[in-house]
């Protein structure tokens, strides 16, 4: 009952206001609308904002390739390339096998390429075996444009480098290789690259 009274009161108020408007000669002034319902119809017919453009999902198998270079100060540089979308955040980890000491660098992919380093202490890396790993972390830490391509849980990632995150946050990717650092090449039966000082 109250709602009906309010509506009829508002309708009466609108009629009074409409009767008061206009010019002295009986015509309406510029910009005045006679029928308030016409305003509502115009508002309803206004076009909605255009939907966001569809982003093509990442459909190729993930590729991450890299090589390491031992600098003259015996620190390590890692450079590589990937087919992941530009601005993808990668984590490069260098680990000394003997002690488990690790060096990390977070980098972004630009035009399919990345470079990280130098890794190691100021005195240089001691001779020995090292494992270098380039990781694609969970989609939740990636920029929006990358998440739109790889999926909110990395569901569009595929290939032998892809696995499920240990923390249950979707799919991730990782590429890892062993390197031996030393001034003299060593004999080994493992598949390993030997790096000498350049």
């Amino acid at each position: 009952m109250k709602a009906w009274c309010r509506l009829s009161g508002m309708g009466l108020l609108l009629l009074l206001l409409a009767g008061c408007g206009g010019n002295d000669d009986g015509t309406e002034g510029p910009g005045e609308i006679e029928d308030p319902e016409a305003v509502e119809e115009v508002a309803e017919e206004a076009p909605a904002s255009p939907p966001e453009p569809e982003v093509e999902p990442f459909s190729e198998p993930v590729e991450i390739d890299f090589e390491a270079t031992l600098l003259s100060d015996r620190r390590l540089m890692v450079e590589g390339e990937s087919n992941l979308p530009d601005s993808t955040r990668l984590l490069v980890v260098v680990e000394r096998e003997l002690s488990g000491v690790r060096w990390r660098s977070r980098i972004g992919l630009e035009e399919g390429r990345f470079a990280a380093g130098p890794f190691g202490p100021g005195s240089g890396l001691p001779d020995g075996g090292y494992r270098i790993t380039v990781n694609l972390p969970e989609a939740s830490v990636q920029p929006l444009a990358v998440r739109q391509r790889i999926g909110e849980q990395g569901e569009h990632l595929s290939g032998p480098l892809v696995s499920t995150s240990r923390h249950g946050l979707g799919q991730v990717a990782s590429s890892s290789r062993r390197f031996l650092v030393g001034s003299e090449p060593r004999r080994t039966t493992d598949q390993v690259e030997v790096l000498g000082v350049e």
Side-chain angles (χ1 to χ4, degrees):
M1 181 78 173
K2 284 184 178 181
W4 183 82
C5 288
R6 284 185 191 155
L7 285 175
S8 59
M10 288 184 73
L12 184 60
L13 180 63
L14 286 173
L15 284 174
L16 287 174
L17 288 175
C20 294
N23 296 333
D24 291 336
D25 60 358
T27 61
E28 293 196 21
E32 294 180 359
I33 300 176
E34 186 176 284
D35 186 5
E37 291 179 10
V39 174
E40 291 175 16
E41 290 176 17
V42 171
E44 290 174 9
E45 293 174 12
S49 61
E52 289 187 25
E54 280 291 316
V55 177
E56 184 178 332
F58 186 75
S59 58
E60 309 167 39
V62 175
E63 295 174 10
I64 301 173
D65 190 29
F66 62 91
E67 56 186 39
T69 308
L70 195 61
L71 302 175
S72 59
D73 63 357
R74 293 184 59 90
R75 294 198 300 166
L76 202 63
M77 285 295 296
V78 178
E79 296 179 78
E81 55 188 14
S82 175
N83 64 343
L84 289 164
D86 278 350
S87 301
T88 298
R89 294 180 182 152
L90 300 173
L91 174 65
V92 180
V93 180
V94 176
E95 179 179 5
R96 185 170 186 220
E97 292 177 340
L98 187 63
S99 64
V101 173
R102 293 181 178 185
W103 296 270
R104 300 168 183 250
S105 179
R106 295 183 190 279
I107 44 123
L109 193 64
E110 293 180 21
E111 297 180 5
R113 300 199 55 77
F114 64 89
F119 295 98
S123 58
L125 293 171
D127 288 358
Y130 293 83
R131 179 162 298 278
I132 301 174
T133 307
V134 179
N135 294 309
L136 167 67
E138 293 87 1
S140 60
V141 302
Q142 299 295 339
L144 176 61
V146 174
R147 286 197 316 266
Q148 289 175 333
R149 294 281 318 276
I150 68 173
E152 291 296 326
Q153 296 288 315
E155 61 268 20
H156 301 307
L157 299 174
S158 64
L161 301 180
V162 176
S163 62
T164 302
S165 166
R166 292 183 305 174
H167 308 295
L169 298 174
Q171 294 193 110
V172 294
S174 181
S175 178
S176 184
R177 289 172 41 201
R178 286 189 65 221
F179 292 87
L180 284 178
V181 171
S183 54
E184 298 177 12
R186 300 173 182 219
R187 292 183 181 185
T188 179
T189 56
D190 295 344
Q191 276 197 319
V192 64
E193 287 186 45
V194 178
L195 299 175
V197 177
E198 290 189 349

